[in-house]
Structures are given as C-alpha cells and as structure tokens.
Amino acid sequence: MELGSILHFLEDRSILVTGATGFLAKIFAEKILRVQPNVKKLYLLLRAADSKSAIQRFNTEVIAKDLFRVLKEKCGRNLNSFISQKVVVVPGDITCENLGVKDTDLLEEMWKEVDVVVNLAATTNFDERYDVSLDINTFGALHALNFSKKCSKLKVHVHVSTAYVCGEKEGLISETPYYLGETLNGTSGLNIDKEKKVVEETLKQLGVEDSSQECIKSAMKDLGIQRARKYGWPNTYVFTKAMGEMLLGQMKENMPLVIIRPTIVSSTYKEPFPGWVEGIRTIDSLAVGYGKGRLTCFLGDPMTVIDLIPADMVVNAMIVAMVANANQPNETIYHVGSSLSNPMNGKMFQEYGYQYFAKHPWIDKEGKPVIVGKVKILRTMDDFRSYMTIRYLLPLKGLQLLNAACCQYFRDKYLNMYRKITYVLRLIDLYQPYLFFNGVFDDINTEKLRRAAKESNVETDIFYFDPKTIKWGDYFVSIHFPGIVKYLFK
C-alpha cells in the first residue's frame, strides 16, 4: 500500500458528512477545515425541516462549540466568510431516500460534486427504541450508500460503525465483515426486512390497543433488546449497527467501501487541543458518578481490558483510510482501538480516577468538595445481586410495607427509590457484557495503514493514530478527567 500526501488528496475535494451535529462528525469537520483550508466543500447533513432551522442548528450545535476555538483564532475576522465559502449546511434526514434532501438543485449539485461520503449518522443509545435504531443505524446506512452510488465523482464511501458489533466474543477479534443473515449465536432466520415487519406489526398492535406514547416507547425499547439477544447481540445499538454493515457489504457493488470500527471513543488526545469531549459516553458515566460521590461500588473484573481510543485518533484513522482506499473497489474494515497494542484495564482506570479526584475534588452546588474513596469492587453478578439485595432491595421492601401500613404516606419516597433501583438494574443489564468483556480487537488492517503512512513519509504528525504513543496515566490525570470535569460535570 502506497500513500500519497493526505493534504494533497483533501485539496479541492468535496466531502459529504452525515450526522454533522455528532461528536466525531464535529471533530472531523473541524480537522479538515483547520488542516486543509483549500478543501473545496464540506456538505454537512443534519436533521432539520428546512435551511433556516438547519443553519440555526449548525450555528448553535456545531460552530459555537469550544472545539472550534483554534480554528476561530486561526481565521480571526475571516471566520464567517471562510465558513460560508467552505461549508454547505444540508437539511435532511438519514432515514429517508436521498437522505431526505428536498432541495432538488442541491441534490443535483452534490451528486455532481461530492468525492467522498462519510456516514457518521447514528444513534449510539444502547437502550434506544428498536424502530428508531433500525431506521438510523441499519436503513440509514443503506440510504447513505445509495446516495453515494449517485455521486458521479465518488472516490470512496466511509461508514463509521463500532468494534462492538462483535457482541460478546472472546479472544482475538478480527476485522472481518458480516454477511447477510449471519448471527453471533448461530440462530438462523435473521432477515432485515422481516425485522422491519416485526416493528411495523408491533406498532400496529400497540395502536389497536390505544397504548400511550410512554407504553409504545417502552415496548419498542424492550423489543430491540429481545430481538438483539435472540441472535446473540447484547443490545439494540450493536445489533442494528451489525445489520447496517450487512446491508453495505451486500449492496456495495464495485464501490470503494471503508468501514471504521472504533472501540470506546474518549476525549481528544492532542487536537485541536487535549481533553475536548461532548456527551457522557459509556465509561464517562462511571467517572462522572465517581467524581460526584455517587459511585461507591463497581461491578466487573478489575483485570478486564477497557478498550479506549481518543476521538482525534479515530478521526485521523478515518481520513488516512479514506485516502488509502480511494478508487479501490474493495470493502476494508479497520478496528481503531488500543486493546491489542496498548491495553488498559479496569484497575488502572479506578486508580487514575482516585488519583485525580482525590487531588482535585469536585465542588458541589453548596461549595463543598466531594471527598472520594476507593470503590468497592463486585467481581461477579452474584456479588452484585447480594449487594443490591442487602443494601437496596430489602430496605425497599420494608418501605413498601411501611407505606401500605401508613396509608401511602411514604408513596413518593417509595416510588423515587423504586425508580432509581430499576434504573440501576436496567443499566447493569445493558452494560454487563462489557463489564466482563474478554475480547481483544485485532487491528492488523489499521496497523498496515499506520506502517504505510510512516513508510510513505506522509503527514504522520498531523494524522497520528497510533495508540502505542498514549501513556494512560498522563492521559487520564492530565487530559481526560480535567476534560470531562470541564465539559460534562454540571
């Protein structure tokens, strides 16, 4: 594999990015605009009814973010004119044909001009409604591919998935594609069109029963988990992402297709500055809970590898893979993670958390520092159930009896406690597969990409994505935890 200059490839290119208000999409757009101002156009697709509301969303949810401060400093007073020259905000909807773009002139322009399509539109909620997740993660992936097929100049289609489409596999997990109908547990009968019909029939039945919106939402969430686990996936998110990959592999024809599978994406390592993060991601919910003094116990094997990768490294890998696979009529999958070359485990994560928050305690609303201690480790689900029973479920049962004896006097307190416990049990049910995850993601394709970039002497200082360079202690204590305190603690 020979690579030419990445910056040269990006020059005078037109790139369509879906899901433009998402975490990785914003970092991708900022990176392109900052390092290659001679890019021709960035078409940023975001969900909106019309241009006015799309531009409003772009201004408030994208360009106004602290992420763009380096670009703002670089451009100075010219920022607005630079953005207006380079960025086209596209109102649309990934769940529709032609990406829901109603402006026919704009559609024709994009089909004529776009060189690269980067599909970053997704719902990453493990507990999403099945109908919503199927529309965005599965059929949305197909709509983006079909759009690419209409682009006369297309060089490559990039689809961002997740490494955890592998489900609960153990050992070394290779960068292999999913084929239509393939399942993780060997159960036959997975048919994507049938899944769509299951959703439609369930919604129809709920309508006949005159179910409330809350009941429909709950039923759709339960249906997603049920269908995912039937075929071996732990949750709706990874199941619908896996089906999206299946459709792409089946329908790509001769299109150059790159599938990026990042692991757990964390705050930026270096660019545009260290520690930028947005939205509480999987592992950050633990850090936020711990820093605020709410997390006193932790379920999981302390030696389980937690596969993290900073967001800027994911974006850099996407860009280099995009260039390397342009005009190559193949499907190539890249795992972008750290578990093979620079593993970090739960024990390290806990130690770094204690180091940081003991030295820099969170100041609560009353102005008092939150003092953290070492977390109690529950190593098995049996330990967790025993802990929950003694600490919470028995007191809840006692409160229920007291409430009944006192004519519902403690009703609000009981319901509040019941909701909190139900929420925790649901979270554990969703995250349990990852708390005891024993897989390691083989990244041989990504390693070949790194070597090719190095050997070709392309801009590896600009497009770095080697997890071996990360010193986890420094990253967490000096970058990641300060970043989540700044951007996520409320």
Side-chain angles (χ1 to χ4, degrees), residues 73-332:
E73 288 164 8
K74 186 179 177 182
C75 293
R77 293 178 181 176
N78 298 322
L79 177 72
N80 290 339
S81 61
F82 175 67
I83 294 296
S84 64
Q85 285 171 27
K86 300 297 176 180
V87 173
V88 178
V89 180
V90 182
D93 188 336
I94 190 80
T95 67
C96 304
E97 284 295 330
N98 293 334
L99 305 182
V101 180
K102 299 184 181 79
D103 184 334
T104 52
D105 290 338
L106 181 54
L107 267 178
E108 292 293 339
E109 178 188 320
M110 288 193 289
W111 288 335
K112 187 174 144 190
E113 295 293 333
V114 166
D115 300 288
V116 178
V117 171
V118 179
N119 181 28
L120 277 156
T123 172
T124 58
N125 185 353
F126 284 14
D127 201 19
E128 183 61 89
R129 290 175 55 139
Y130 191 36
D131 51 343
V132 172
S133 199
L134 201 62
D135 276 349
I136 297 171
N137 294 344
T138 304
F139 291 103
L142 181 60
H143 293 145
L145 184 82
N146 288 337
F147 191 92
S148 283
K149 287 181 179 179
K150 296 176 182 177
C151 297
S152 57
K153 290 169 60 182
L154 192 87
K155 306 287 185 295
V156 63
H157 181 94
V158 180
H159 174 78
V160 179
S161 184
T162 169
Y164 293 95
V165 288
C166 67
E168 300 169 55
K169 288 182 183 176
E170 296 189 359
L172 197 62
I173 301 160
S174 59
E175 296 159 303
T176 50
Y178 278 108
Y179 298 104
L180 220 53
E182 185 180 346
T183 62
L184 288 182
N185 59 8
T187 302
S188 59
L190 174 59
N191 180 295
I192 297 173
D193 289 330
K194 183 184 170 187
E195 292 304 304
K196 184 80 170 169
K197 283 177 185 167
V198 167
V199 165
E200 288 167 355
E201 286 166 7
T202 306
L203 286 171
K204 187 177 178 183
Q205 182 60 36
L206 289 164
V208 168
E209 294 167 5
D210 201 25
S211 301
S212 68
Q213 285 304 309
E214 198 56 40
C215 283
I216 292 170
K217 182 181 178 181
S218 179
M220 281 292 109
K221 285 186 173 189
D222 290 342
L223 180 65
I225 297 292
Q226 176 201 324
R227 299 304 293 180
R229 292 183 178 171
K230 177 178 179 178
Y231 296 111
W233 278 272
N235 58 59
T236 310
Y237 167 56
V238 291
F239 179 45
T240 52
K241 274 293 199 178
M243 288 192 287
E245 285 194 22
M246 290 176 196
L247 285 179
L248 293 181
Q250 177 75 11
M251 306 299 289
K252 70 174 280 296
E253 297 171 354
N254 289 322
M255 182 179 294
L257 173 63
V258 168
I259 294 179
I260 303 287
R261 288 181 183 165
T263 54
I264 300 168
V265 183
S266 57
S267 63
T268 53
Y269 181 59
K270 281 200 289 191
E271 289 186 9
F273 51 87
W276 190 77
V277 68
E278 185 179 59
I280 297 179
R281 325 204 96 62
T282 319
I283 200 164
D284 292 336
S285 58
L286 299 175
V288 170
Y290 177 69
K292 290 188 172 185
R294 296 174 186 163
L295 187 74
T296 55
C297 69
F298 178 79
L299 172 66
D301 181 350
M303 301 317 291
T304 292
V305 170
I306 300 173
D307 197 321
L308 284 184
I309 189 74
D312 48 337
M313 288 195 177
V314 178
V315 164
N316 289 337
M318 286 166 55
I319 295 169
V320 178
M322 178 173 91
V323 176
N325 291 276
N327 300 315
Q328 305 294 318
N330 306 310
E331 176 182 354
T332 312

Side-chain angles (χ1 to χ4, degrees), residues 17-38:
V17 182
T18 69
T21 58
F23 178 54
L24 283 176
K26 282 190 272 236
I27 296 172
F28 178 88
E30 191 278 341
K31 176 84 177 191
I32 300 290
L33 292 169
R34 178 167 45 82
V35 302
Q36 184 44 285
N38 292 324

Side-chain angles (χ1 to χ4, degrees), residues 349-447:
F349 179 70
Q350 290 159 35
E351 285 174 358
Y352 300 145
Y354 179 71
Q355 274 178 44
Y356 179 79
F357 287 106
K359 193 173 180 181
H360 307 281
W362 166 248
I363 307 301
D364 66 17
K365 289 177 182 176
E366 295 173 5
K368 295 176 182 176
V370 174
I371 307 303
V372 298
K374 293 290 179 81
V375 170
K376 180 179 176 62
I377 305 299
L378 306 169
R379 294 169 182 264
T380 67
M381 280 303 293
D382 286 342
D383 288 347
F384 172 75
R385 290 188 191 101
S386 299
Y387 179 84
M388 287 298 291
T389 299
I390 294 166
R391 186 82 183 263
Y392 297 105
L393 295 175
L394 288 177
L396 181 69
K397 187 68 179 173
L399 186 61
Q400 184 184 23
L401 294 171
L402 185 64
N403 185 48
C406 297
C407 304
Q408 303 297 312
Y409 182 78
F410 297 102
R411 182 175 178 274
D412 289 347
K413 189 174 182 180
Y414 169 77
L415 287 174
N416 187 41
M417 192 172 174
Y418 174 79
R419 275 194 292 267
K420 283 181 178 177
I421 291 171
T422 304
Y423 174 71
V424 168
L425 293 173
R426 179 79 171 186
L427 277 183
I428 291 298
D429 185 45
L430 288 170
Y431 288 111
Q432 181 196 344
Y434 304 103
L435 300 172
F436 298 98
F437 187 75
N438 289 314
V440 170
F441 295 102
D442 190 5
D443 62 350
I444 190 166
N445 289 341
T446 313
E447 182 59 30

